[in-house]
Structure formats: structure tokens, C-alpha cells
Amino acid sequence: MIYLDNAATSFPNPESVIKAVADAMYTVGGNPGRSAHKLALAAAGEVYVTRERAAELFGARPENIVFTYNTTYAINNALKSSYIYGTHVLISDLEHNSVLRPTAAVTGNSFASYSMFDSALELKGEERTHAIISSIRSKMRPLTRTLICTARSNVTGTPMPIREIGRYCRENGLFFIVDGAQSAGYDDINIERDNIDVLCVPGHKGLYGPSGTGMMIFSTSAVLSERIGSFIEGGNGVSSLDVNMPEALPEKLESGTLGVPGIMGLGVALKYVSDLGINRIAEHDSSLIQKAYMSLCFNKKLEIYSYEPHSPILLFNVAGKDSEDTAAELDSRGICVRAGYHCAPLAHKRASTPVGGAVRISVGYTNTEDEIDEFIKAVYDITGK
Amino acid sequence: MACRFGLGSVTYAQAAVNALSRRGIRSRLVKLAARESKRGCAYGVETDCNDMKKAARVLTGAGISFKEIK
């Protein structure tokens, strides 16, 4: 089996991660932050180790790492805990439904709304960055207070100039939430340097952790901004006599029992990524996509919608064939890909894919050149060339 | 003799233990008794009373808010 669907979830997980989750199930008892016995305090210590490793990777404080179940949960929490009723939100025209849907939901209940700025896919480099910032500027309104943007599209693999967007947001008083679903573990993101208020990431994609894990990572300025209210209220082991949620992160936004085995697995996964180095991971992954592209681009029966030189993603269709049919044929050959709209209709519209979307391959660190060769051969078999 | 600081959440208590450890001060994470925490359910760190002043400086320097428990 050849797994080329890492943008959905990474597979296989490193042995060390699997072992950490299993070990946690055997050895870690108690509920961190609830009881006072040795097991519970030890569990709290393990959870904190994961916070420390995430903080180191993303340039944050450990106490500003909030665990969630995935990126969607993180984005919903980040937006809904910081949204000022009646204000305007900006998103890009590449956003996943995890951004589009909650944005539509929060603004749909008020007299404000949201607008989309242009991701300028056709341009490159400085010209593209300038066009994006100009588009943001053109969409600003007197009541614009929040901007949410993907760091890298899950459909086209295109990165967004997060640093420049962050600088614009800081200069113009916008709360900046970043969807890091495809960037965590792949791109160099530093929350303070890049002027990000909240970075939302999954544990189970580029970080190679277990599914069911994710994080919101808050900057110091976000914490000091007084924009963050609580979104889910409940027990968290702090100030139980107080009907209000605690003031400080992370417990302010963490209610209910944490998924400790998953968090411990995530901690080991963060070490795995840090030890490898994100540059090494990115170089490996993008070289495989480049190999695929350099073969497929000569096949006239293929439509390739996106190729980015440093991306782990390639989007294509077999001309005249529904994307799901192509994916099924690849599946019959033991190759796992994802077809359709990838929960991102905006991005597909922007990339001009046909009805039915397209086929996406997304590589990971365990994929090999031989696997890409097999994939290329399979595609050529399907097209009859 | 052991003395305690109140930190609030277990996360900040763990942060305090780590910060103190980096500066060579031994401490342990504890759950505070009901009489030690007005709002119920809080965590703190326990250290040698002779280390309290130095520990307070370390925690302040690390940006960790605390309350000395008498």
C-alpha cells in the first residue's frame, strides 16, 4: 500500500509515537490537574512536557499552548472566544471549511459580515505578496477587527505570506488567527516573530502525532489583548468554587478531561519533528512532489491545477474523468489519495477545478522515491499513455 | 521546614517547579488544601522555607504570578 494522503492525516505514525500512546494507556493514571496523588501529578508533568515542546517549535510560552482535538476545533475556539460581536472578519479566498463555516456562523448572527481577500495564486514572490496585502487593504472596513488565513492551502499547497500579513494585522489592529493545518511541522512559523495572535494546528498531520490532537498557540500580545473569552465552560481543576472560568490560559480554554495518551503521543511526535528538522522534512517532501510533477506534466491526458516548488501537495485530474473515479482506480492499485473538494470549495473555485473537484496527492516523510515511481506508473496506466 | 506558594492551575505550578529547578531550587508540585485556596481547587509548589525568598525572585523573573501561603 502506498499512502499519499498525508494532508488528511499522516500515516504511518513513527514507532516512538505509537509506543508513547500505548505506554500512557498502561502507566499513566489519574486526571492531570484534578487529583493530588502521585499518578495524577505525574500525568500533569507529562502534559507539560508536550506544552514545552510545542512552545519551543512555535516560539511561544508553554502556558499559552491550549490543547484541542484538531485544527477545526482550534479555529472555532480561537474565533469564537475572541470575536467582537458585530465586527467584520477577513478571510482569504483559499480557506478550508474549518475557517469559512465558523466565520459565516459568527458573522451571520450580527449585522456585520465577512469578506474574502485575493490569494493572488497567479503571481509569485514579492509581486504576489504585494497583491495580497493590497487586496486585504481594499477589503478593510471601519469595523474590521479579525483576519483569519491559512498558512498553506490544503488544496493547492500554496503558502501564504504569513509574516507580511501578520505585520499588516499588527499595524492595523487586527486580531490574526492562522490556520496552520498544512504548515505545522513543514514551514518555519514563529508566533511572535510572525505577529500571529493565535496559531491553530493539528497534532496528526505534519507533526506526525495521533489523531484527536490539536493545539491553539497564543502569542503574548493575544493574551494581553483581553480579546480572549472562554468558549467552552466546565471543570478544569482550577478555582472550583468560582462560577467563572479561570482568567489565565491554558485552563481558561481547556475544560473537561484532556486526552492524555494522545497528548503524550503528540509530545513524542514534536520531538521527532524537532530532531529531524522541518527544513529536512520539507526538502524531502517537496522533492518527491517535484519528481511526480516532472513526470506527470508531460502527460497530455492530465490536467494539473497546482504545482508549487516547495509544496508537499499536487492537484490534478485525468481529463474527462471524475476525480473520485481516478481515486478509486488508484485505490485498486493500492495507492491512497483523496479526491473531491477536500472540504475547501473556495480553494477549488480559485484553482478553477471542474465539477467534482480534483485528485490530491500529499506526501509525508515516510514516502519514498520508489513509491512516487509506482504512483507515476499507475497514473500513466490509467491514462493509457 | 516546608513552605508553599500558591500558583492556581497545575500548569503554572508545573512551570514554577521547572523554573525553580533550573535555578537549583528543589521543590515539588502540590495540590493546596481547602484552607490555602479561597476559590477551591488550586495547585502550588512546596519548597524549603529557607529558599522562599530566592524562589520568589526566580518566579517573578520567570513571569510567574504566585501567592505566598502563610
Side-chain angles (χ1 to χ4, degrees), chain A residues 227-244:
Chain A
R227 279 275 302 251
I228 305 165
S230 61
F231 171 55
I232 304 266
E233 291 82 21
N236 51 28
V238 184
S239 302
S240 296
L241 296 178
D242 194 337
V243 73
N244 300 307

Side-chain angles (χ1 to χ4, degrees), chain A residues 75 78-79 82 146-149 175-179 197-198 200:
Chain A
I75 292 169
L79 173 61
S82 66
T146 306
L147 189 151
I148 314 174
C149 181
F175 197 78
F176 185 31
I177 300 171
V178 173
D179 172 4
D197 285 299
V198 193
C200 302

Side-chain angles (χ1 to χ4, degrees), chain A residues 98-178:
Chain A
S98 61
V99 170
L100 175 62
R101 284 178 173 175
T103 300
V106 294
T107 56
N109 293 329
S110 73
F111 51 83
S113 62
Y114 68 95
S115 301
M116 283 187 268
F117 60 89
D118 185 7
S119 59
L121 284 187
E122 302 78 15
L123 302 176
K124 302 282 176 206
E126 290 282 330
E127 195 186 356
R128 178 169 179 247
T129 301
H130 183 76
I132 289 171
I133 300 298
S134 293
S135 180
I136 291 172
R137 196 176 290 123
S138 74
K139 300 292 182 184
M140 287 280 286
R141 297 184 188 176
L143 283 179
T144 308
R145 293 290 182 274
T146 306
L147 189 151
I148 314 174
C149 181
T150 183
R152 187 179 282 273
S153 169
N154 73 309
V155 170
T156 64
T158 315
M160 292 293 278
I162 290 302
R163 218 172 290 188
E164 289 78 6
I165 296 173
R167 189 179 309 128
Y168 180 89
C169 289
R170 184 71 73 227
E171 290 168 356
N172 291 275
L174 302 182
F175 197 78
F176 185 31
I177 300 171
V178 173

Side-chain angles (χ1 to χ4, degrees), chain A residues 60-122:
Chain A
R61 285 181 65 121
E63 299 78 51
N64 293 343
I65 306 292
V66 175
F67 293 117
T68 65
Y69 305 110
N70 47 52
T71 318
T72 298
Y73 197 94
I75 292 169
N76 270 268
N77 205 336
L79 173 61
K80 291 170 182 175
S81 65
S82 66
Y83 178 68
I84 301 171
Y85 183 82
T87 59
H88 180 245
V89 179
L90 284 175
I91 66 173
S92 84
D93 60 7
L94 288 182
E95 299 307 321
H96 187 279
N97 277 343
S98 61
V99 170
L100 175 62
R101 284 178 173 175
T103 300
V106 294
T107 56
N109 293 329
S110 73
F111 51 83
S113 62
Y114 68 95
S115 301
M116 283 187 268
F117 60 89
D118 185 7
S119 59
L121 284 187
E122 302 78 15

Side-chain angles (χ1 to χ4, degrees), chain A residues 33-36 41 44-45 48 51-52 61 63 237-242 248-251, chain B residues 8-12 14-15 18 22 29-31 37-43 62-64:
Chain A
R34 305 297 191 273
S35 310
L41 296 184
Y48 193 81
R51 294 190 205 276
E52 284 182 312
R61 285 181 65 121
E63 299 78 51
V238 184
S239 302
S240 296
L241 296 178
D242 194 337
L249 295 181
E251 283 81 4
Chain B
S9 73
V10 72
T11 303
Y12 272 91
Q14 188 68 61
N18 291 4
R22 283 194 290 271
L29 199 159
V30 293
K31 190 167 180 190
S37 130
K38 267 190 214 157
R39 296 195 280 182
C41 298
Y43 288 80
I64 297 172

